[in-house]
Amino acid sequence: MDPTPEMKRNRFPSMNFEAEILTAPHDNSELYVIPSMRSLTAEEYVEAFKSFLDHSTEHQCMDQFNKEEMPNIMAGLGNGKSTINVLGVGSGTGEQDLKMIRILQAAHPGVLIDNEIIEPNPQHVAAYKELVNQAPDLQNVSFIWHQLTSSEYEQQMKEKGAHKKFDFIHMIQMLYRVEDILNTIKYFHSCLDHHGKLLIIILSDSSGWASLWKKYRHCLPSTDSGHYITSNSVTDVLKRLGVEYHVYEFPSGWDITECFIEGDPVGGHMMDFLTGTKNFLGTAPPGLRQRLQEALCQPECSSKKDGRIIFSNNLSMIVVES
């Protein structure tokens, strides 16, 4: 059937949506299209994540941890070896990795650092390589990238029979995308050398995310493909594994004021990041949208500061001994 002029006029560009639903109003006056909800692609996630970083103190919070705690943690690594082996799991674009490597360099002058990176997103890998190319102070550091997920890397290493040990392994804000948390932590902990340390950075149970995921899960769409993991989930696993660990708590905030301004593009990106959904504000049923916006304003999720709405993004830095 050839589309009517009304259908043509009201059709959204199909590249924007996985499915187009043609709906006839009761009076059959016109056919129109409701775009369906869908999860973010890897590229869209990068854009949504950037809006989160630009409006949150996530990296400043990690910087505070790096300044206050990391020098001591790094000083105990390597056990006098001439090369220190580091593995980043889900390293993203590498800013945090390089900050930690510089702390390691300062703690162990002249020591060679062998840095391996597991990161599945090709855009992130390209950005990380560019960062390394521009850095003047990484002469004694070698880099190997594995463009894989953590489970693909684990499978590959097991198939090769590889048993490389690392002095320092970090998993920063990445367990939300992992299917089997217990076995993932167990595997990477088994990759630690004697006196090695595993750093896991994850959202704290005192964060707004924890309240949102536990108390207001019904306000989130099914298109959110991440797992709702917080610090307590990780420490429960570590207790089961019988390993020694220490938790450091650091406050962090995310200014979500724009999420409540109708038609604001920044608010749109932030809601996409929050829900893991493309164009959530434009595609979600109005009732769901309203419920989520109301949940975000609850005192256990957010606080008001100078007329702005600050969502609690508190982090837990968990240092695990070998």
Side-chain angles (χ1 to χ4, degrees):
M1 180 185 93
D2 207 37
T4 64
E6 285 80 17
M7 281 174 73
K8 278 183 179 163
R9 188 173 73 242
N10 290 286
R11 176 163 288 188
F12 286 80
S14 43
M15 59 193 262
N16 285 352
F17 309 108
E18 284 180 351
E20 292 177 349
I21 305 160
L22 289 172
T23 324
H26 297 305
D27 60 359
N28 283 326
S29 60
E30 193 170 271
L31 287 161
Y32 63 99
V33 180
I34 298 173
S36 59
M37 293 173 76
R38 66 165 174 82
S39 303
L40 294 171
T41 63
E43 291 79 12
E44 289 160 354
Y45 175 81
V46 171
E47 195 176 1
F49 181 59
K50 187 181 182 306
S51 76
F52 162 73
L53 283 183
D54 288 347
H55 294 85
S56 77
T57 60
E58 170 122 340
H59 279 180
Q60 294 91 315
C61 169
M62 292 181 189
D63 290 346
Q64 191 187 349
F65 171 71
N66 285 343
K67 186 181 169 189
E68 292 177 16
E69 306 295 346
M70 279 302 256
N72 276 341
I73 292 165
M74 293 297 195
L77 297 178
N79 211 20
K81 295 191 301 187
S82 57
T83 301
I84 292 177
N85 296 309
V86 178
L87 177 64
V89 187
S91 286
T93 51
E95 288 92 351
Q96 294 308 312
D97 287 34
L98 296 190
K99 286 174 186 175
M100 290 191 288
I101 279 170
R102 290 183 174 111
I103 297 167
L104 192 55
Q105 283 178 314
H108 302 273
V111 167
L112 297 174
I113 299 167
D114 180 58
N115 186 42
E116 296 198 26
I117 299 109
I118 302 167
E119 173 52 54
N121 189 310
Q123 284 177 282
H124 284 338
V125 170
Y128 194 148
K129 288 180 177 177
E130 186 56 31
L131 208 58
V132 169
N133 290 338
Q134 290 172 4
D137 55 347
L138 299 172
Q139 289 85 354
N140 64 334
V141 188
S142 64
F143 291 85
I144 297 169
W145 282 270
H146 306 274
Q147 198 182 301
L148 301 165
T149 65
S150 58
S151 55
E152 286 166 349
Y153 172 86
E154 181 182 341
Q155 194 181 342
Q156 212 175 77
M157 291 303 113
K158 285 176 174 173
E159 282 167 4
K160 286 180 182 172
H163 298 291
K164 182 169 179 179
K165 296 289 184 183
F166 295 90
D167 302 292
F168 182 56
I169 299 175
H170 55 84
M171 308 170 89
I172 299 176
Q173 290 284 51
M174 58 72 66
L175 284 171
Y176 317 105
R177 302 281 158 193
V178 167
E179 287 307 319
D180 187 341
I181 305 284
L182 187 141
N183 282 313
T184 298
I185 293 175
K186 186 179 180 181
Y187 170 73
F188 286 105
H189 184 263
S190 77
C191 296
L192 287 176
D193 210 340
H194 301 299
H195 310 291
K197 292 187 195 301
L198 166 65
L199 169 65
I200 298 172
I201 298 184
I202 198 88
L203 284 160
S204 165
D205 278 74
S206 70
S207 70
W209 294 96
S211 299
L212 191 64
W213 292 341
K214 285 173 187 152
K215 198 170 171 184
Y216 302 105
R217 193 175 286 203
H218 61 285
C219 301
L220 290 163
S222 57
T223 36
D224 188 2
S225 56
H227 297 284
Y228 301 150
I229 304 295
T230 51
S231 174
N232 286 354
S233 320
V234 174
T235 54
D236 285 348
V237 164
L238 297 173
K239 284 171 192 159
R240 279 181 68 182
L241 295 175
V243 294
E244 198 181 316
Y245 64 88
H246 187 85
V247 183
Y248 303 86
E249 292 278 334
F250 281 82
S252 170
W254 176 24
D255 186 336
I256 59 169
T257 311
E258 277 73 18
C259 291
F260 302 92
I261 300 169
E262 193 68 40
D264 188 288
V266 171
H269 282 313
M270 289 200 271
M271 285 299 260
D272 289 1
F273 179 71
L274 211 134
T275 60
T277 303
K278 176 62 181 168
N279 189 18
F280 173 80
L281 291 175
T283 61
L288 179 65
R289 199 170 62 209
Q290 189 184 343
R291 282 202 305 275
L292 179 56
Q293 286 177 325
E294 284 170 4
L296 291 174
C297 290
Q298 296 305 308
E300 59 267 47
C301 291
S302 298
S303 55
K304 280 204 168 69
K305 189 180 175 188
D306 304 325
R308 309 290 295 174
I309 300 166
I310 310 297
F311 186 74
S312 168
N313 188 60
N314 298 347
L315 298 180
S316 296
M317 284 59 166
I318 305 169
V319 179
V320 190
E321 304 296 327
S322 59

